[in-house]
């Protein structure tokens, strides 16, 4: 039988996206917001470097990249797509947290000289994980992997911070320990599009390296946000926050309740 790819339509692009062929898809999910939707494979799969949702926001002055993928190769593919869509400079590379699938593509953007931005804990977490990344993911760090292949943030965010991309304000919000110790979100205020990073998983069991109780509290905070579109760290975009968080909220509460029951 022939595989029939799914055709995704946006206002200005037609992209063929299929988990079968692992094409590097890009779609404009909201005006000026471009998403590469990660594929659902295991950490042992050879395409594990492309499991995260990553992308970029285009302003009139410059571009902000939101996460860069799990290898320098994925970062290069994202960079190539950006330059095919816009000739504006890349002023910011924002990492939503420390996990490899969101940060190891940073090196691809160094020649463009952006400011690398992350949670106030991100630099320390990168240092703590540098050897681990080199040991576990060296195949994704270029021909001569070294400590310098892993790029740490220049700017650390400890409170909600606004950046102007040119007639487009984005708001970066850091959160306390939850999914990880370095989670932040990016809100495009012009379209009310929230890039949630791994604070929200869809269609995939959430990974947890922070605090289960902390994550449940953060989800309560997220649920109060008024958004038009939610881009999770993994899975399909959602047109409302209740839709985006329902399955994950149910899962985390069940995990908490059954763990407490087992301990008791």
């Amino acid at each position: 039988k022939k595989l029939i790819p799914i055709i995704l339509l946006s206002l200005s692009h037609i992209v063929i996206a299929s988990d079968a062929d692992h094409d590097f898809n890009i779609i404009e999910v909201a005006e000026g917001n471009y998403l590469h939707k990660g594929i659902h494979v295991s950490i042992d799969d050879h395409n594990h470097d492309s499991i995260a949702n990553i992308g970029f926001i285009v302003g009139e002055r410059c571009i902000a990249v939101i996460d860069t993928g799990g290898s320098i190769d994925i970062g290069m593919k994202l960079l190539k797509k950006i330059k095919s869509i816009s000739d504006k400079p890349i002023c910011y590379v924002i990492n939503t947290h420390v996990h490899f699938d969101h940060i190891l593509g940073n090196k691809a953007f160094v020649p463009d000289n952006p400011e690398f931005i992350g949670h106030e804990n991100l630099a320390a977490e990168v240092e703590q994980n540098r050897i681990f990344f080199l040991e576990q993911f060296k195949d994704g760090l270029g021909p001569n992997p070294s400590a310098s292949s892993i790029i740490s943030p220049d700017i650390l965010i400890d409170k909600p911070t606004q950046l102007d991309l040119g007639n487009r304000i984005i708001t970066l919000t850091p959160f306390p320990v939850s999914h990880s110790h370095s989670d932040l979100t990016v809100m495009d205020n012009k379209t009310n599009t929230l890039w949630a990073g791994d604070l929200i998983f869809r269609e995939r069991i959430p990974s947890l390296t922070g605090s289960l109780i902390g994550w449940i509290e953060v989800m309560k905070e997220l649920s109060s946000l008024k958004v038009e579109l939610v881009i999770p760290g993994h899975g399909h975009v959602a047109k409302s926050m209740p839709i985006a968080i329902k399955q994950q909220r149910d899962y985390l509460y069940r995990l908490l309740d059954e763990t407490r029951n087992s301990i008791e």
Side-chain angles (χ1 to χ4, degrees), residues 3-248:
L3 291 175
I4 301 176
I6 301 170
I7 306 298
L8 302 178
L9 302 180
S10 75
L11 294 176
S12 57
H13 299 281
I14 297 177
V15 181
I16 298 178
S18 166
D19 278 357
D21 57 23
H22 299 149
D23 281 346
F24 193 85
N25 59 81
I26 285 285
I27 186 170
E28 187 177 22
V29 293
E31 189 269 317
N33 287 250
Y34 294 84
L35 170 67
H36 166 69
K37 184 180 177 299
I39 58 177
H40 286 317
V41 297
S42 75
I43 195 69
D44 298 320
D45 190 278
H46 70 282
N47 289 303
H48 66 263
D49 59 345
S50 191
I51 62 176
N53 290 340
I54 62 177
F56 57 99
I57 303 172
V58 180
E60 291 183 2
R61 180 178 68 88
C62 65
I63 295 169
V65 177
I66 317 297
D67 288 332
T68 58
S71 69
I72 294 175
D73 179 61
I74 291 295
M76 290 298 296
K77 289 178 179 178
L78 177 61
L79 178 61
K80 183 178 179 180
K81 285 287 188 179
I82 292 172
K83 293 186 180 297
S84 73
I85 290 170
S86 174
D87 60 0
K88 293 181 173 63
I90 298 169
C91 49
Y92 306 111
V93 171
I94 303 164
N95 292 126
T96 61
H97 62 292
V98 74
H99 292 156
F100 87 97
D101 50 323
H102 296 261
I103 201 170
L104 292 188
N106 282 4
K107 181 76 170 180
F109 292 86
V110 169
D112 284 75
N113 199 33
E115 293 182 298
F116 290 87
I117 302 178
H119 188 282
E120 62 176 330
N121 294 335
L122 184 60
E125 286 215 299
V126 169
E127 290 307 313
Q128 292 169 5
N129 283 277
R130 200 176 289 276
I131 294 175
F132 170 74
F133 288 153
L134 283 170
E135 290 176 347
Q136 298 297 316
F137 305 110
K138 67 178 182 179
D139 290 345
L141 293 173
N144 298 298
S146 67
S148 64
S149 303
I150 302 162
I151 305 303
S152 191
D154 307 311
I155 299 174
L156 303 180
I157 302 297
D158 62 359
K159 61 185 177 181
T161 301
Q162 292 190 333
L163 303 173
D164 188 359
L165 307 182
N167 197 30
R168 188 181 293 271
I169 302 295
I170 61 174
T171 301
L172 280 57
T173 303
F175 287 86
V177 179
S178 47
H179 159 69
S180 74
H181 289 73
S182 55
D183 294 296
L184 66 76
T185 61
V186 180
M187 174 75 85
D188 173 32
N189 299 329
K190 189 171 185 178
T191 62
N192 280 336
T193 297
L194 180 71
W195 294 73
D198 278 6
L199 287 175
I200 299 178
F201 281 67
R202 301 191 72 208
E203 304 126 29
R204 191 181 182 100
I205 297 296
S207 66
L208 172 61
T209 60
S211 164
L212 175 57
I213 294 174
W215 199 351
I216 288 172
E217 290 303 311
V218 165
M219 289 189 68
K220 292 177 183 177
E221 186 174 346
L222 292 176
S223 67
S224 68
L225 297 178
K226 305 299 182 183
V227 299
E228 297 294 326
L229 196 71
V230 180
I231 301 174
H234 300 268
H236 286 89
V237 299
K239 293 185 178 180
S240 73
M241 186 60 73
I243 292 173
I245 67 173
K246 183 184 185 308
Q247 285 188 321
Q248 177 173 290

